[in-house]
mmCIF file of all heavy atoms in Angstrom:
data_model
loop_
_atom_site.group_PDB
_atom_site.id
_atom_site.type_symbol
_atom_site.label_atom_id
_atom_site.label_comp_id
_atom_site.label_asym_id
_atom_site.label_seq_id
_atom_site.Cartn_x
_atom_site.Cartn_y
_atom_site.Cartn_z
ATOM 1 N N ALA A 17 214.980 149.648 29.049
ATOM 2 C CA ALA A 17 214.977 150.213 30.401
ATOM 3 C C ALA A 17 214.151 151.495 30.420
ATOM 4 O O ALA A 17 214.368 152.397 29.598
ATOM 5 C CB ALA A 17 216.409 150.490 30.858
ATOM 6 N N PHE A 18 213.230 151.574 31.351
ATOM 7 C CA PHE A 18 212.382 152.765 31.517
ATOM 8 C C PHE A 18 212.814 153.481 32.799
ATOM 9 O O PHE A 18 212.813 152.886 33.884
ATOM 10 C CB PHE A 18 210.913 152.358 31.592
ATOM 11 C CG PHE A 18 210.369 151.849 30.290
ATOM 12 C CD1 PHE A 18 210.631 150.549 29.873
ATOM 13 C CD2 PHE A 18 209.620 152.669 29.464
ATOM 14 C CE1 PHE A 18 210.147 150.072 28.668
ATOM 15 C CE2 PHE A 18 209.134 152.204 28.248
ATOM 16 C CZ PHE A 18 209.399 150.899 27.852
ATOM 17 N N VAL A 19 213.190 154.739 32.635
ATOM 18 C CA VAL A 19 213.754 155.514 33.742
ATOM 19 C C VAL A 19 212.964 156.808 33.905
ATOM 20 O O VAL A 19 212.666 157.489 32.921
ATOM 21 C CB VAL A 19 215.242 155.845 33.486
ATOM 22 C CG1 VAL A 19 215.837 156.599 34.661
ATOM 23 C CG2 VAL A 19 216.037 154.577 33.195
ATOM 24 N N ALA A 20 212.628 157.137 35.147
ATOM 25 C CA ALA A 20 211.898 158.390 35.390
ATOM 26 C C ALA A 20 211.846 158.673 36.879
ATOM 27 O O ALA A 20 212.035 157.777 37.709
ATOM 28 C CB ALA A 20 210.480 158.298 34.832
ATOM 29 N N GLU A 21 211.580 159.926 37.208
ATOM 30 C CA GLU A 21 211.257 160.280 38.574
ATOM 31 C C GLU A 21 209.846 159.773 38.873
ATOM 32 O O GLU A 21 209.119 159.322 37.980
ATOM 33 C CB GLU A 21 211.328 161.807 38.748
ATOM 34 C CG GLU A 21 212.661 162.290 39.294
ATOM 35 C CD GLU A 21 212.872 161.896 40.757
ATOM 36 O OE1 GLU A 21 212.387 160.838 41.195
ATOM 37 O OE2 GLU A 21 213.541 162.644 41.472
ATOM 38 N N PHE A 22 209.447 159.867 40.138
ATOM 39 C CA PHE A 22 208.108 159.423 40.518
ATOM 40 C C PHE A 22 207.034 160.273 39.829
ATOM 41 O O PHE A 22 207.251 161.448 39.519
ATOM 42 C CB PHE A 22 207.942 159.497 42.035
ATOM 43 C CG PHE A 22 208.769 158.473 42.757
ATOM 44 C CD1 PHE A 22 209.848 158.854 43.543
ATOM 45 C CD2 PHE A 22 208.469 157.120 42.657
ATOM 46 C CE1 PHE A 22 210.610 157.912 44.207
ATOM 47 C CE2 PHE A 22 209.226 156.174 43.321
ATOM 48 C CZ PHE A 22 210.298 156.570 44.093
ATOM 49 N N SER A 23 205.889 159.631 39.606
ATOM 50 C CA SER A 23 204.689 160.302 39.089
ATOM 51 C C SER A 23 204.857 160.862 37.681
ATOM 52 O O SER A 23 204.292 161.896 37.341
ATOM 53 C CB SER A 23 204.272 161.444 40.041
ATOM 54 O OG SER A 23 203.998 160.929 41.316
ATOM 55 N N ARG A 24 205.643 160.168 36.858
ATOM 56 C CA ARG A 24 205.765 160.575 35.458
ATOM 57 C C ARG A 24 204.947 159.657 34.542
ATOM 58 O O ARG A 24 204.938 159.847 33.340
ATOM 59 C CB ARG A 24 207.240 160.558 35.006
ATOM 60 C CG ARG A 24 208.177 161.463 35.813
ATOM 61 C CD ARG A 24 207.805 162.924 35.693
ATOM 62 N NE ARG A 24 208.789 163.801 36.291
ATOM 63 C CZ ARG A 24 208.712 164.297 37.518
ATOM 64 N NH1 ARG A 24 207.664 163.980 38.286
ATOM 65 N NH2 ARG A 24 209.645 165.100 37.996
ATOM 66 N N GLY A 25 204.293 158.649 35.126
ATOM 67 C CA GLY A 25 203.485 157.734 34.322
ATOM 68 C C GLY A 25 204.292 156.659 33.627
ATOM 69 O O GLY A 25 203.849 156.085 32.624
ATOM 70 N N LYS A 26 205.463 156.351 34.167
ATOM 71 C CA LYS A 26 206.363 155.381 33.536
ATOM 72 C C LYS A 26 205.768 153.980 33.511
ATOM 73 O O LYS A 26 205.771 153.298 32.468
ATOM 74 C CB LYS A 26 207.704 155.399 34.285
ATOM 75 C CG LYS A 26 208.645 154.252 33.979
ATOM 76 C CD LYS A 26 209.957 154.427 34.707
ATOM 77 C CE LYS A 26 209.791 154.703 36.180
ATOM 78 N NZ LYS A 26 209.141 153.629 36.911
ATOM 79 N N THR A 27 205.245 153.516 34.656
ATOM 80 C CA THR A 27 204.685 152.165 34.724
ATOM 81 C C THR A 27 203.413 152.060 33.873
ATOM 82 O O THR A 27 203.158 151.040 33.243
ATOM 83 C CB THR A 27 204.392 151.783 36.187
ATOM 84 O OG1 THR A 27 205.583 151.971 36.966
ATOM 85 C CG2 THR A 27 203.967 150.335 36.289
ATOM 86 N N GLU A 28 202.635 153.123 33.837
ATOM 87 C CA GLU A 28 201.455 153.145 32.968
ATOM 88 C C GLU A 28 201.880 153.022 31.506
ATOM 89 O O GLU A 28 201.206 152.355 30.702
ATOM 90 C CB GLU A 28 200.674 154.448 33.180
ATOM 91 C CG GLU A 28 199.365 154.513 32.426
ATOM 92 C CD GLU A 28 198.242 153.763 33.134
ATOM 93 O OE1 GLU A 28 198.512 152.767 33.856
ATOM 94 O OE2 GLU A 28 197.086 154.166 32.972
ATOM 95 N N LEU A 29 203.003 153.636 31.161
ATOM 96 C CA LEU A 29 203.522 153.546 29.797
ATOM 97 C C LEU A 29 203.887 152.103 29.455
ATOM 98 O O LEU A 29 203.589 151.618 28.357
ATOM 99 C CB LEU A 29 204.749 154.461 29.645
ATOM 100 C CG LEU A 29 205.437 154.459 28.278
ATOM 101 C CD1 LEU A 29 204.494 154.990 27.200
ATOM 102 C CD2 LEU A 29 206.712 155.293 28.328
ATOM 103 N N ILE A 30 204.501 151.410 30.403
ATOM 104 C CA ILE A 30 204.853 149.999 30.187
ATOM 105 C C ILE A 30 203.587 149.164 30.005
ATOM 106 O O ILE A 30 203.516 148.300 29.119
ATOM 107 C CB ILE A 30 205.699 149.470 31.367
ATOM 108 C CG1 ILE A 30 207.052 150.189 31.413
ATOM 109 C CG2 ILE A 30 205.906 147.960 31.266
ATOM 110 C CD1 ILE A 30 207.884 149.880 32.633
ATOM 111 N N ASN A 31 202.581 149.421 30.834
ATOM 112 C CA ASN A 31 201.297 148.722 30.674
ATOM 113 C C ASN A 31 200.701 148.952 29.291
ATOM 114 O O ASN A 31 200.213 148.027 28.634
ATOM 115 C CB ASN A 31 200.301 149.203 31.737
ATOM 116 C CG ASN A 31 200.533 148.558 33.089
ATOM 117 O OD1 ASN A 31 200.914 147.399 33.181
ATOM 118 N ND2 ASN A 31 200.310 149.320 34.157
ATOM 119 N N ALA A 32 200.739 150.205 28.840
ATOM 120 C CA ALA A 32 200.131 150.552 27.552
ATOM 121 C C ALA A 32 200.895 149.939 26.383
ATOM 122 O O ALA A 32 200.289 149.485 25.403
ATOM 123 C CB ALA A 32 200.079 152.074 27.394
ATOM 124 N N LEU A 33 202.219 149.909 26.478
ATOM 125 C CA LEU A 33 203.033 149.401 25.375
ATOM 126 C C LEU A 33 202.960 147.886 25.242
ATOM 127 O O LEU A 33 202.913 147.351 24.129
ATOM 128 C CB LEU A 33 204.499 149.828 25.563
ATOM 129 C CG LEU A 33 204.840 151.295 25.303
ATOM 130 C CD1 LEU A 33 206.255 151.600 25.756
ATOM 131 C CD2 LEU A 33 204.674 151.639 23.822
ATOM 132 N N PHE A 34 202.954 147.182 26.374
ATOM 133 C CA PHE A 34 203.183 145.741 26.324
ATOM 134 C C PHE A 34 202.070 144.857 26.888
ATOM 135 O O PHE A 34 201.963 143.693 26.501
ATOM 136 C CB PHE A 34 204.489 145.405 27.055
ATOM 137 C CG PHE A 34 205.667 146.195 26.579
ATOM 138 C CD1 PHE A 34 206.285 147.124 27.399
ATOM 139 C CD2 PHE A 34 206.149 146.029 25.288
ATOM 140 C CE1 PHE A 34 207.375 147.855 26.960
ATOM 141 C CE2 PHE A 34 207.234 146.764 24.831
ATOM 142 C CZ PHE A 34 207.845 147.681 25.665
ATOM 143 N N PHE A 35 201.252 145.366 27.806
ATOM 144 C CA PHE A 35 200.346 144.471 28.522
ATOM 145 C C PHE A 35 198.869 144.856 28.408
ATOM 146 O O PHE A 35 198.046 144.434 29.210
ATOM 147 C CB PHE A 35 200.745 144.410 30.006
ATOM 148 C CG PHE A 35 202.180 144.007 30.211
ATOM 149 C CD1 PHE A 35 203.023 144.780 30.999
ATOM 150 C CD2 PHE A 35 202.694 142.868 29.614
ATOM 151 C CE1 PHE A 35 204.355 144.416 31.187
ATOM 152 C CE2 PHE A 35 204.013 142.498 29.796
ATOM 153 C CZ PHE A 35 204.854 143.272 30.578
ATOM 154 N N ALA A 36 198.534 145.643 27.397
ATOM 155 C CA ALA A 36 197.146 146.097 27.244
ATOM 156 C C ALA A 36 196.200 144.934 26.968
ATOM 157 O O ALA A 36 195.022 144.978 27.351
ATOM 158 C CB ALA A 36 197.051 147.132 26.122
ATOM 159 N N GLU A 37 196.688 143.869 26.306
ATOM 160 C CA GLU A 37 195.795 142.767 25.933
ATOM 161 C C GLU A 37 195.280 141.983 27.134
ATOM 162 O O GLU A 37 194.333 141.196 27.009
ATOM 163 C CB GLU A 37 196.501 141.817 24.939
ATOM 164 C CG GLU A 37 197.508 140.871 25.551
ATOM 165 C CD GLU A 37 198.840 141.550 25.826
ATOM 166 O OE1 GLU A 37 198.985 142.737 25.485
ATOM 167 O OE2 GLU A 37 199.723 140.896 26.384
ATOM 168 N N THR A 38 195.865 142.200 28.330
ATOM 169 C CA THR A 38 195.353 141.530 29.529
ATOM 170 C C THR A 38 194.012 142.117 29.952
ATOM 171 O O THR A 38 193.264 141.504 30.714
ATOM 172 C CB THR A 38 196.343 141.659 30.700
ATOM 173 O OG1 THR A 38 196.508 143.047 31.043
ATOM 174 C CG2 THR A 38 197.701 141.062 30.338
ATOM 175 N N GLY A 39 193.739 143.337 29.471
ATOM 176 C CA GLY A 39 192.466 143.975 29.799
ATOM 177 C C GLY A 39 192.448 144.641 31.154
ATOM 178 O O GLY A 39 191.422 145.196 31.571
ATOM 179 N N VAL A 40 193.590 144.601 31.862
ATOM 180 C CA VAL A 40 193.674 145.230 33.184
ATOM 181 C C VAL A 40 194.969 146.029 33.262
ATOM 182 O O VAL A 40 195.855 145.899 32.417
ATOM 183 C CB VAL A 40 193.649 144.179 34.330
ATOM 184 C CG1 VAL A 40 192.337 143.425 34.345
ATOM 185 C CG2 VAL A 40 194.836 143.226 34.230
ATOM 186 N N ARG A 41 195.065 146.847 34.304
ATOM 187 C CA ARG A 41 196.300 147.581 34.567
ATOM 188 C C ARG A 41 197.216 146.611 35.321
ATOM 189 O O ARG A 41 197.225 146.564 36.545
ATOM 190 C CB ARG A 41 195.967 148.826 35.388
ATOM 191 C CG ARG A 41 197.058 149.843 35.441
ATOM 192 C CD ARG A 41 196.587 151.138 36.073
ATOM 193 N NE ARG A 41 196.167 152.128 35.095
ATOM 194 C CZ ARG A 41 194.936 152.573 34.948
ATOM 195 N NH1 ARG A 41 193.962 152.095 35.693
ATOM 196 N NH2 ARG A 41 194.647 153.485 34.039
ATOM 197 N N LEU A 42 197.990 145.822 34.552
ATOM 198 C CA LEU A 42 198.723 144.690 35.130
ATOM 199 C C LEU A 42 199.737 145.139 36.179
ATOM 200 O O LEU A 42 199.741 144.641 37.308
ATOM 201 C CB LEU A 42 199.426 143.904 34.018
ATOM 202 C CG LEU A 42 199.914 142.506 34.385
ATOM 203 C CD1 LEU A 42 198.747 141.618 34.784
ATOM 204 C CD2 LEU A 42 200.674 141.876 33.214
#
């Protein structure tokens, strides 16, 4: 579970950890 206030880069962190191989900001 990823928890944060807005604008902390949480969703970007999920993209970087798990979905980078798609080549896009999924």
Side-chain angles (χ1 to χ4, degrees):
F18 290 79
V19 182
E21 264 290 32
F22 291 112
S23 300
R24 301 297 188 264
K26 167 176 51 62
T27 306
E28 186 81 330
L29 179 64
I30 294 172
N31 281 325
L33 286 170
F34 307 113
F35 305 128
E37 77 281 357
T38 62
V40 297
R41 195 171 264 114
L42 196 62

